[in-house]
Amino acid sequence: MNITSAALKKNRLTIVALIIILLGGLISYGNLSRSEDPGFIIRFAQVMTLFPGASPERVEMLVTDKLEKAIMEMPELDFIQSESKAGVSVIYVAIKQSYDHMRPIWDDMRRKIDRAAADLPADVIGPMVNDEFGDVFGTVITITGEGFTYAELKEIADEVRDEMLLIAEVAKVDIFGAQQERIFVEYNNARLSELGLSPLQLGQILESRNIVLPGGEVTAGVDRIVLEPSGNFETVEELRRSVISLPGTNEFLYLEDIAAIERGYIDPPENKVTASGEPALAIAISLREGGNIITLGERVQETRARLQTLYPIGIEFDVVAFEPAEVDRAISDFVSSLQQAIMVVVLVMLLFLGLRTGLVVASLIPTAITMSLLVMSFLDIGLNIVSLAALIISLGLLVDNAIVMVESIQVQMSEGKSAVDSAITTIAAFLPFYLAESDTGEYVAPLFQVVTITLLCSWLLALTMIPLLAVKFVRPKADPEGSKYETPFYRRYRGT
């Protein structure tokens, strides 16, 4: 049975289905995931290995070459590139585009690298595998505190990170700008020579005192007693009061008598964050896959406001990057575009087609968009910059199906045919698709998916809802002789 005929004969069922679609679409709009960009799979990893003091040639021969041979055993490998510099080996690994599940592949690569690492020189640091290139931190909060040290700010940042990780929409929280603390022991070589000490001997004395090894355990029946050696340094003051025995004598000195001991930070710093010119730490927050960034923004702001009241005066939490606001603005722009499109179509249709026909044609746009949102929720397609662009593009195409259908019905009814017979017509559907196996294809896939969904929904509604409304409301002037198609223009057109 023709779909249009079925929709007209079962008009009550059609009306109920339309109501369900409208309600379901509105509910889906509130539940769709929201993000700035669509997700895509990162198929690249970096393997870095440090070989201090080695020349590029030695790094290539002793490190890079061995790791490359192990990595090239992977059947999923697409290509591999490497750089061997003084003291550093960097290998870039690319996986074929046909693979989608990367975690097993990276785990297999790590196992191969671990086996190859046994043949590397003893002084090598690593290899270190980085396969987390896909992390995007859309929300960044800086922490500043007048009169607070980096160490104190780091303690606060750790607490804030723990609180942010409790938010369901959060995938990862990183801290940037934290300065690594060190205990600096500054001595005078002349003074050490005078006492018969060398820097190496001084270091060995301190290492023998700062015990960090396990002391073993004692088992007594069902009880087990764990021994923890004492003697390790707990404070800078303990380090200052360390007793140093002078070689070849019975004399003892405190460490502070022959060296200056201070707590400080690595200088120059590896990275540093400032906010309005003041030293700061940055809390970077990323959205979980399939999450709603609008909800994430609301929860982050609530948590930030609550934490602001818990810390002393002087500690400030400032938002320097807030992706949820950008996404919310993009969605608001789409809603505004949708409203403008409906208004323009209604005005144009009312002007050229009349009141009844204009309203029938204009009804397709909001209904098709709502139905598309419902289908998108079933297919896990969220709202992002690409899917929103597809919906906006679709706005200019949606009205075509309705106009073609209504005009066909109107012409046939004007020739004296019954409303039901006039409504049973056929229209063309557009089905763009994109199947390119590439990162670009994955990124823009929502564009083609959403346009296809929207046009198919428009096509379906044009065959069901539009005929139903046209039969009910369209009342064209009768033209029983069909003289509209007997003009000189149409005769020449048929001849051509």
Side-chain angles (χ1 to χ4, degrees):
M1 180 182 293
N2 188 289
I3 186 174
T4 305
S5 176
L8 293 173
K9 291 180 179 179
K10 307 291 184 180
N11 55 3
R12 290 183 177 84
L13 185 61
T14 304
I15 293 173
V16 171
L18 289 173
I19 294 174
I20 294 175
I21 288 172
L22 290 172
L23 293 178
L26 293 175
I27 295 173
S28 299
Y29 174 74
N31 296 331
L32 283 173
S33 64
R34 288 165 168 80
S35 60
E36 185 169 6
D37 294 293
F40 58 95
I41 300 172
I42 304 294
R43 298 179 175 85
F44 290 87
Q46 181 192 69
V47 182
M48 178 179 291
T49 310
L50 305 180
F51 192 5
S55 65
E57 292 77 12
R58 288 179 60 81
V59 171
E60 173 71 24
M61 179 178 61
L62 299 178
V63 178
T64 305
D65 187 58
K66 294 180 180 180
L67 294 178
E68 282 184 337
K69 289 179 180 178
I71 296 172
M72 291 175 67
E73 297 176 0
M74 299 173 57
E76 304 90 351
L77 184 67
D78 186 9
F79 65 87
I80 187 171
Q81 294 179 346
S82 64
E83 296 179 9
S84 297
K85 299 179 288 187
V88 180
S89 167
V90 182
I91 301 174
Y92 300 95
V93 182
I95 303 302
K96 295 176 182 177
Q97 298 289 338
S98 56
Y99 292 94
D100 296 332
H101 303 288
M102 305 308 300
R103 182 51 49 199
I105 297 175
W106 298 139
D107 291 342
D108 181 51
M109 185 180 74
R110 281 187 169 88
R111 286 192 292 269
K112 294 182 182 298
I113 290 175
D114 290 341
R115 287 197 297 268
D119 297 331
L120 301 181
D123 295 335
V124 162
I125 301 174
M128 296 164 285
V129 179
N130 180 16
D131 58 12
E132 296 184 344
F133 291 99
D135 294 334
V136 177
F137 299 99
T139 302
V140 179
I141 300 174
T142 58
I143 304 176
T144 57
E146 185 178 353
F148 288 82
T149 65
Y150 272 113
E152 292 169 332
L153 290 178
K154 180 61 165 59
E155 292 181 5
I156 296 174
D158 289 335
E159 295 172 358
V160 173
R161 177 174 58 186
D162 294 341
E163 290 291 332
M164 294 298 179
L165 286 172
L166 296 177
I167 300 175
E169 302 294 322
V170 171
K172 188 177 182 181
V173 180
D174 277 357
I175 299 175
F176 295 96
Q179 303 302 306
Q180 298 185 35
E181 283 193 284
R182 293 290 187 271
I183 304 298
F184 295 93
V185 179
E186 299 179 354
Y187 53 84
N188 187 293
N189 282 321
R191 174 62 172 160
L192 291 184
S193 299
E194 180 184 338
L195 298 173
L197 276 173
S198 69
L200 180 60
Q201 288 175 315
L202 181 60
Q204 290 174 343
I205 293 173
L206 295 177
E207 287 179 2
S208 63
R209 166 73 190 280
N210 193 37
I211 302 173
V212 292
L213 297 175
E217 59 186 38
V218 176
T219 303
V222 296
D223 297 325
R224 187 180 63 173
I225 302 173
V226 178
L227 303 180
E228 181 179 350
S230 61
N232 55 300
F233 300 121
E234 298 290 347
T235 64
V236 175
E237 187 59 32
E238 287 185 15
L239 182 59
R240 291 195 180 103
R241 303 297 291 178
S242 297
V243 177
I244 305 298
S245 61
L246 300 181
T249 68
N250 294 325
E251 296 183 18
F252 296 90
L253 293 174
Y254 290 119
L255 180 60
E256 63 182 355
D257 294 332
I258 59 176
I261 301 96
E262 298 293 340
R263 183 190 296 271
Y265 305 97
I266 292 179
D267 189 19
E270 294 181 357
N271 58 75
K272 198 170 184 179
V273 175
T274 59
S276 300
E278 297 183 12
L281 298 185
I283 303 291
I285 304 168
S286 65
L287 176 70
R288 68 172 176 83
E289 185 177 356
N292 189 326
I293 198 168
I294 307 298
T295 304
L296 170 66
E298 294 172 353
R299 300 293 180 267
V300 167
Q301 292 285 37
E302 292 172 1
T303 303
R304 184 183 72 91
R306 177 171 56 84
L307 292 174
Q308 185 71 71
T309 63
L310 300 179
Y311 289 102
I313 295 175
I315 296 295
E316 298 292 338
F317 300 96
D318 297 316
V319 179
V320 296
F322 199 61
E323 186 182 20
E326 300 297 327
V327 176
D328 188 43
R329 186 179 300 110
I331 294 175
S332 299
D333 290 343
F334 163 71
V335 174
S336 175
S337 298
L338 175 62
Q339 294 172 345
Q340 295 175 39
I342 295 175
M343 292 175 58
V344 170
V345 169
V346 168
L347 291 176
V348 173
M349 294 302 103
L350 291 178
L351 181 61
F352 292 99
L353 299 180
L355 177 62
R356 294 173 179 265
T357 304
L359 292 177
V360 170
V361 171
S363 67
L364 181 70
I365 294 179
T367 309
I369 291 292
T370 305
M371 186 175 179
S372 300
L373 295 174
L374 178 62
V375 177
M376 287 169 60
S377 67
F378 288 133
L379 299 180
D380 292 327
I381 301 174
L383 295 177
N384 50 63
I385 189 172
V386 177
S387 62
L388 288 175
L391 288 171
I392 293 174
I393 291 172
S394 301
L395 290 178
L397 306 174
L398 293 179
V399 70
D400 293 345
N401 288 343
I403 291 177
V404 170
M405 176 62 76
V406 171
E407 284 191 340
S408 175
I409 295 172
Q410 201 170 18
V411 168
Q412 294 184 60
M413 290 176 64
S414 67
E415 294 176 353
K417 297 182 180 180
S418 67
V420 175
D421 292 339
S422 301
I424 302 175
T425 60
T426 304
I427 66 170
F430 298 94
L431 184 61
F433 61 92
Y434 191 76
L435 299 176
E437 294 184 355
S438 65
D439 295 333
T440 304
E442 290 180 6
Y443 184 84
V444 300
L447 177 67
F448 300 96
Q449 294 169 350
V450 173
V451 169
T452 299
I453 290 171
T454 308
L455 291 181
L456 287 177
C457 291
S458 169
W459 173 76
L460 183 62
L461 292 171
L463 289 178
T464 55
M465 182 187 73
I466 295 300
L468 186 64
L469 296 178
V471 169
K472 183 69 175 177
F473 298 108
V474 174
R475 296 292 183 269
K477 296 179 180 179
D479 185 15
E481 297 181 1
S483 58
K484 182 178 296 185
Y485 294 106
E486 295 302 327
T487 62
F489 170 78
Y490 277 106
R491 286 195 291 268
R492 288 195 299 270
Y493 180 75
R494 282 195 295 268
T496 304

